[in-house]
Amino acid sequence: MKILINLIRNLLGAIIATIDLVTRGSKVKRTPEKQQAVNMAVKDLTLYQFFACPFCIKTRRAIYKLNLPIEKRSASEGSPHRKALLEGGGRVKVPCLRIEQDGKVEWMYESSDIIRYLEKRFA
């Protein structure tokens, strides 16, 4: 039964991801100088995610539209990033944005909170 549920979940996730790719829209356009500053600012951000998770897709879509080259790490079973997420954030829940700032690390969960944070900081 667990295999069937995982199969259905992955199939639906792949369909949602495909629809997302087809309907994304355009990115924010910045001058080359401003984009370079944004590129440097996002080096301290990492998104932990599952490919087929609808909330992760929502978050990746916002990242795409904001034109933010944030590193994405899979937290799937067997991934070394899953262990890092558990140890750093305290739980395996995605999406999770790892924010390193002033020598401190914050783990932000919840897609709406992550998107709100990114829009406020980079829009």
Side-chain angles (χ1 to χ4, degrees), residues 39-71:
N39 293 353
M40 293 302 292
V42 300
K43 287 190 182 285
D44 295 331
L45 303 177
T46 306
L47 181 70
Y48 287 80
Q49 47 108 32
F50 297 148
F51 175 75
C53 165
F55 298 105
C56 296
I57 292 169
K58 173 184 171 185
T59 306
R60 287 195 311 263
R61 187 178 183 97
I63 289 170
Y64 175 84
K65 286 185 176 186
L66 290 169
N67 200 6
L68 304 174
I70 295 174
E71 179 184 356

Side-chain angles (χ1 to χ4, degrees), residues 42-48 70 73 84-85 88 96-100 104-108 114:
V42 300
K43 287 190 182 285
D44 295 331
L45 303 177
T46 306
L47 181 70
Y48 287 80
I70 295 174
R73 294 181 179 169
L85 176 61
C96 180
L97 185 67
R98 181 183 185 273
I99 306 165
E100 190 172 340
K104 297 178 185 174
V105 176
E106 177 185 352
W107 298 82
M108 182 180 293
I114 294 169

Side-chain angles (χ1 to χ4, degrees), residues 27-28 35 40 45 73 76 83 86 90 100 116-117:
K27 295 180 178 183
V28 168
Q35 185 62 47
M40 293 302 292
L45 303 177
R73 294 181 179 169
S76 298
K83 183 178 179 187
L86 179 60
E100 190 172 340
R116 194 172 16 260
Y117 168 80

